[in-house]
Structures are given as C-alpha cells and as structure tokens.
Amino acid sequence: SNRTKSIRIYNAIYFLSYKSVLFTMAFAQKIYDISVAPYLKDVPLIYSAEGSLVAMFMLVYVSKIVHALTSLLLTAKYDNVQSSHRYSGKNDGTWTWQRLAAQRAFNAHLNQWEAFVAFGLSMLLALHQRVDRAVLTQLANAFLCVRVLYNIVYVLAFNGPLSIVRSAVWTVGFSILLKILSLAVPSIHV
C-alpha cells in the first residue's frame, strides 16, 4: 500500500541521514585529531570563553568593514543598497579581479554570520553544561584564529588551488566547532 511505501521511504531516509551524521562526526574527529589537537596548546589565549562570543560577533562586523573597504579601494564604489556586486544593476557585465575580490569579501561576510550562529549556539550550550573552561577557552580561541584566517583566504582565493586551501581552513574550523558541540552535548562523540 502507499502507507507502507511511505514508511519504507521514511525509514530509508532516516537511516541514510543517521549514517551520514555518523560519518560526518567520524570525519570531523579525524580532521580534529590531525590538524587541531596536536597544536591546541600553541593557540594564543586572547579571550575568555565568554569573551570569545563577543569577539566572534565583532568579527562579523569586521568582515563587513573589510567588504566595504575592499569594494571602495578596488572598484572605487560601494553600493549600500545592493552591496553584492553579483546582482548590481551598475555591473556592465565584465568581471574584473577587483569585482571578484569585492564579491568574495561580501560572501566572506555572509559566511561569518553563519559561523557566528553555529559558534554562539555551541558555546552557549557548552557554558550552560559547565564544560571545563580551560579546554573550552582553548577551543574557542582556536576557532577564532581559524575564522580570521578563513576570511583572509576567502577574499584572496581567486583561483582553484586557493579555493581548496579555503575549504581546508573551513574544514578545520568546522571540526573545532563540532568538538565544542560534542563537549556541550555528551551524547555526541567527536
């Protein structure tokens, strides 16, 4: 019957999504073990765990300032109504490296908002669960350092190899984020 088919499809989707979450968590653990854990002790502790939330929020606006300055310096204009160069009516159809850099700076700013939401939620959960502050502070500062690097690489990633570097930096940051989340929610193991 249709109901039985629907249940089978639902179960298959649930199973595949569950398996993909397990795979993602295992992959993030490997990335974390290789690229973060050995160097965590070397991360400069600039902010407290709570202060890192404020710093991450400020990074959102720093990335907006970088976008505005990039746009002004490289394209000699900043359209406050339509700040994306992609859909600007003033675009004559030519894509110069200056316009691409301004567009990448805009995209980096939008990506910073996404990262702030995930980081803020993870940190608030970890603070609420009274996770070891020393570990949480190290992870938070590591994430902030990776996000600063990510924004720089994002704006400069004008070709294929550099966009691979950008993706690698993002993956390191994502693994740190999942580690914070796993400390906050003990049933998640990263």
Side-chain angles (χ1 to χ4, degrees):
S1 77
N2 285 342
R3 180 164 159 60
T4 306
K5 249 188 218 179
S6 296
I7 290 172
R8 284 185 190 151
I9 291 171
Y10 172 79
N11 286 340
I13 291 171
Y14 178 77
F15 176 77
L16 289 174
S17 62
Y18 175 73
K19 288 294 186 185
S20 66
V21 167
L22 290 179
F23 174 78
T24 302
M25 297 303 281
F27 181 72
Q29 179 64 46
K30 294 290 182 201
I31 297 295
Y32 177 82
D33 291 342
I34 293 168
S35 63
V36 178
Y39 309 104
L40 201 55
K41 64 184 180 321
D42 300 326
V43 171
L45 300 179
I46 301 168
Y47 301 102
S48 66
E50 296 85 357
S52 66
L53 284 166
V54 176
M56 185 66 181
F57 185 68
M58 295 309 296
L59 273 177
V60 172
Y61 290 99
V62 167
S63 69
K64 182 59 181 176
I65 292 168
V66 168
H67 165 243
L69 289 175
T70 302
S71 186
L72 280 171
L73 294 173
L74 296 181
T75 66
K77 65 180 179 223
Y78 176 73
D79 187 350
N80 199 32
V81 175
Q82 185 65 40
S83 57
S84 170
H85 289 268
R86 185 176 309 159
Y87 301 113
S88 176
K90 298 173 185 156
N91 185 347
D92 61 5
T94 60
W95 282 99
T96 62
W97 70 268
Q98 294 95 337
R99 283 188 178 166
L100 290 172
Q103 180 62 47
R104 284 192 305 275
F106 178 72
N107 293 346
H109 166 66
L110 294 179
N111 188 274
Q112 194 67 25
W113 272 111
E114 296 169 9
F116 170 70
V117 171
F119 178 73
L121 176 66
S122 300
M123 286 297 292
L124 289 174
L125 284 170
L127 290 167
H128 179 71
Q129 292 295 329
R130 302 189 196 291
V131 170
D132 179 15
R133 284 296 167 95
V135 172
L136 193 58
T137 300
Q138 274 189 318
L139 289 169
N141 280 276
F143 186 77
L144 287 170
C145 290
V146 168
R147 286 306 301 182
V148 168
L149 178 63
Y150 179 77
N151 279 306
I152 292 167
V153 173
Y154 202 120
V155 174
L156 298 176
F158 59 88
N159 62 21
L162 286 177
S163 46
I164 292 170
V165 171
R166 181 187 78 203
S167 296
V169 173
W170 181 89
T171 303
V172 170
F174 186 66
S175 72
I176 295 169
L177 188 62
L178 288 179
K179 185 65 175 180
I180 294 169
L181 192 57
S182 73
L183 293 173
V185 183
S187 62
I188 300 174
H189 302 289
V190 175

